[in-house]
């Protein structure tokens, strides 16, 4: 079945630097790739998503890129701020799996 | 806004007790999910349901059961709680299969 691997598991950056989190998936039929942010003590919330017919999507300081050939997608956060500190989860789904398969999460810490 | 609520934020139970965790969503979503979240292991799917009275096993169903008698409500049952079921439990719902999921606030369960 589908497997999603996420790296790194922890990431520390200085405020203002960029952060990149990468995920790879195994099912070539995967067509939907959401990213969730979970702040400490709170629920995961969708921050951005991308579909397989698009290579890149941006929303202010965050962007997601998709490489279907290599079967990987990445979350890019520019000009990081302390409030970006959280655990980020990637996920993938396809018509084969019919449900979201989540990565194991990345704990991002942004130091002032 | 989609609202997913869970019956308790914190729960302390004794080994061998029967435990009920309830989840309610108010957006008429067909699909509901129960996850378990443990450090370093990400979100692991326990059970899911695509319709009333319907249930499907996820990746870690052992020791759990579910009930979906009404569309808006999905219950997770621990028939005989054990200490290795101490965890954070997250409920989610989605409008379409394999699409964006909306999470509840989570129930942190401690089994003594």
């Amino acid at each position: 079945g589908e497997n999603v691997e996420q790296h790194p598991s922890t990431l520390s950056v200085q405020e203002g630097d960029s952060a990149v989190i990468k995920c790879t998936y195994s099912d070539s039929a995967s067509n939907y790739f959401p990213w969730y942010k979970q702040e400490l003590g709170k629920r995961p919330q969708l921050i951005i998503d991308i579909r397989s017919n698009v290579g890149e999507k941006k929303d202010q300081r965050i962007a997601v890129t998709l490489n279907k050939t290599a079967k990987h997608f990445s979350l890019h956060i520019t000009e990081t701020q302390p409030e970006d500190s959280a655990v980020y989860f990637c996920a993938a789904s396809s018509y084969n799996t019919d449900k979201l398969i989540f990565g194991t999460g990345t704990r991002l810490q942004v130091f002032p | 806004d989609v609202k997913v609520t869970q019956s308790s934020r914190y729960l302390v139970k004794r080994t061998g007790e029967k435990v009920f965790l309830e989840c309610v969503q108010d957006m008429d979503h067909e699909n509901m999910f129960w996850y378990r979240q443990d450090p370093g292991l990400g979100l692991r799917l326990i059970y899911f349901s695509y319709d009333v009275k319907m249930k499907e096993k996820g990746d870690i169903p052992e020791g759990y059961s579910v009930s979906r008698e009404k569309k808006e409500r999905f219950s997770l049952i621990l028939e005989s709680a054990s200490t290795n079921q101490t965890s954070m439990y997250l409920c989610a719902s989605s409008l379409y299969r394999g699409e964006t999921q909306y999470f509840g606030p989570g129930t942190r369960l401690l089994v003594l």
Side-chain angles (χ1 to χ4, degrees), chain A residues 32 36 38 43 51 93 98, chain B residues 37 50 98-101 103:
Chain A
Y32 176 63
Y36 287 82
Q38 186 179 26
R43 72 189 77 193
R51 298 188 185 275
S93 71
D98 229 10
Chain B
Q37 183 175 19
Y50 289 145
E99 289 284 331
T100 305
Q101 291 182 15
F103 285 86

Side-chain angles (χ1 to χ4, degrees), chain A residues 33-46:
Chain A
F33 307 91
W35 285 89
Y36 287 82
K37 175 184 180 182
Q38 186 179 26
E39 296 177 48
L40 191 62
K42 296 192 175 179
R43 72 189 77 193
Q45 292 199 298
L46 179 75

Side-chain angles (χ1 to χ4, degrees), chain A residues 6-23:
Chain A
Q6 183 171 348
H7 298 282
S9 56
T10 60
L11 180 60
S12 297
V13 299
Q14 205 73 33
E15 183 177 359
D17 288 350
S18 295
V20 181
I21 302 169
K22 297 180 180 179
C23 289

